[in-house]
Amino acid sequence: MSGSKNSRWHFSRLKRSQVAVLGASGGIGQPLSLLLKNSPLVSELSLYDIAHTPGVAADLSHIETRATVTGYMGADQLGAALKGCDVVVIPAGVPRKPGMTRDDLFNTNATIVATLADACVTRVYKVMKKHGVYNPNSVFGVTTLDIVRANAFVAELKGLDPARVNVPVVGGHAGKTIIPLISQCTPKVEFPTDQLSALTGRIQEAGTEVVKAKAGAGSATLSMAYAGARFTFSLLDAMNGKEGVVECAFVRSEETECKYFSTPLLLSKNGIEKNLGLGKLSAFEEKLVAEAMDELKGSIKKGEDFVANMK
């Protein structure tokens, strides 16, 4: 990402925007909404969930920052929650418990996201109809947490300031499909083979590390909220005309044999300005990409079949 966390949390101030959080009462939704409320980039915060949203909105509305906050609750208020929004963030879903894989929750969470996405599409139908296209450049699977974790873990091992570390992470967002490109890290770092392998494994299984540590009380919520906010701020910065904003995200792609793949993306007012691709990979990373393909293709097919069979 361009701009940094002292720079990473530096905001462009050209324009403030309306952001909707769908799933705002949940474990990720509440801290994410708090971070968004704290940003000068956000002028209006629209919070939606199936329960408790009026209370979350009332609580956040007492914070002395510019964003106005409105809570919407229940399916009949979803359309109103989306009206006029520039960015829609969807943290809604059910968390993992110990022993569960992300795949175990697929049907439940896919149904939740599909229902919300359907409402988003209905809301922007006039815009889509006017342009005559569905625009894949404005739909992102947010994998930022993998980058955030990679940055933190590399910084910890090397004694660096995490705010100045940037590790691209490509592929998907589950297990071995999470591929940290340590060879492309800035600043440049090197690890012995065994340490590199262990570091890669920790990044890939970091979500499970949190699930186990929470011992049945949920999955990664606070770090995910941070990552979701970071991606949203990057998107808003780019929409406001800031140049050189780069984030990794899982998008429609022609960079590999997979239809969808996460790579670094140059963002602009229109979403994806340019897919920056995989770049130069080490032999170790090439092997990781090759080994991830079958699982990633299977996950993509499962998602496509789910949508095709939706009633």
Side-chain angles (χ1 to χ4, degrees):
M1 169 182 175
S2 155
S4 53
K5 203 175 50 185
N6 294 335
S7 79
R8 223 169 243 153
W9 290 96
H10 169 77
F11 306 111
S12 63
R13 296 174 181 271
L14 300 176
K15 171 184 168 237
R16 298 194 309 278
S17 305
Q18 184 171 338
V19 178
V21 179
L22 310 186
S25 298
I28 298 168
Q30 289 200 43
L32 172 59
S33 298
L34 173 61
L35 291 168
L36 295 174
K37 170 68 171 120
N38 199 39
S39 168
L41 284 176
V42 181
S43 58
E44 295 178 58
L45 198 50
S46 180
L47 307 183
Y48 172 82
D49 215 318
I50 56 173
H52 310 304
T53 341
V56 175
D59 196 356
L60 287 175
S61 71
H62 292 182
I63 294 172
E64 55 181 356
T65 54
R66 290 183 180 180
T68 58
V69 186
T70 310
Y72 300 89
M73 187 169 73
D76 58 333
Q77 294 189 11
L78 179 53
L82 292 168
K83 187 176 182 182
C85 287
D86 301 290
V87 176
V88 179
V89 192
I90 308 180
V94 177
R96 281 197 291 162
K97 291 187 168 59
M100 295 178 82
T101 65
R102 290 182 177 91
D103 200 51
D104 292 333
L105 290 172
F106 175 80
N107 284 325
T108 302
N109 286 341
T111 301
I112 292 168
V113 173
T115 302
L116 297 172
D118 188 59
C120 294
V121 170
T122 302
R123 194 79 231 165
V124 301
Y125 174 71
K126 289 179 182 174
V127 177
M128 291 171 66
K129 188 176 179 183
K130 178 181 171 186
H131 293 287
V133 293
Y134 148 68
N135 181 10
N137 288 338
S138 61
V139 181
F140 303 89
V142 178
T143 61
T144 313
L145 181 52
D146 299 323
I147 291 90
V148 166
R149 285 168 165 159
N151 293 346
F153 299 166
V154 167
E156 182 184 350
L157 288 172
K158 291 295 186 182
L160 298 168
D161 176 359
R164 300 187 180 281
V165 176
N166 184 37
V167 180
V169 181
V170 302
H173 183 58
K176 68 180 182 182
T177 71
I178 299 168
I179 304 163
L181 303 183
I182 308 292
S183 72
Q184 295 180 24
C185 176
T186 51
K188 186 168 176 54
V189 294
E190 291 184 357
F191 295 97
T193 305
D194 57 340
Q195 195 176 24
L196 178 62
S197 183
L199 171 61
T200 299
R202 188 185 178 202
I203 294 165
Q204 291 175 332
E205 296 302 325
T208 302
E209 183 180 312
V210 175
V211 169
K212 286 179 179 174
K214 288 194 173 182
S219 55
T221 52
L222 300 174
S223 52
M224 184 61 237
Y226 169 92
R230 172 181 151 166
F231 187 84
T232 304
F233 297 148
S234 288
L235 204 51
L236 290 172
D237 269 340
M239 289 167 68
N240 285 342
K242 185 173 180 180
E243 295 185 352
V245 179
V246 175
E247 286 283 3
C248 295
F250 190 70
V251 296
R252 184 85 193 198
S253 173
E254 296 178 357
E255 298 301 315
T256 70
E257 59 201 72
C258 287
K259 290 184 196 174
Y260 297 86
F261 203 85
S262 181
T263 44
L265 309 168
L266 178 64
L267 303 177
S268 72
K269 292 180 181 181
N270 303 314
I272 302 171
E273 178 73 19
K274 184 180 181 185
N275 192 320
L276 301 178
L278 287 167
K280 186 171 175 8
L281 303 181
S282 68
F284 177 72
E285 292 158 356
E286 284 179 351
K287 187 166 179 283
L288 292 177
V289 170
E291 289 172 350
M293 283 299 169
D294 284 348
E295 184 174 327
L296 205 44
K297 284 179 186 173
S299 296
I300 292 166
K301 184 175 188 312
K302 188 170 184 176
E304 289 178 331
D305 289 347
F306 177 86
V307 173
N309 294 323
M310 276 175 62
K311 292 190 171 70

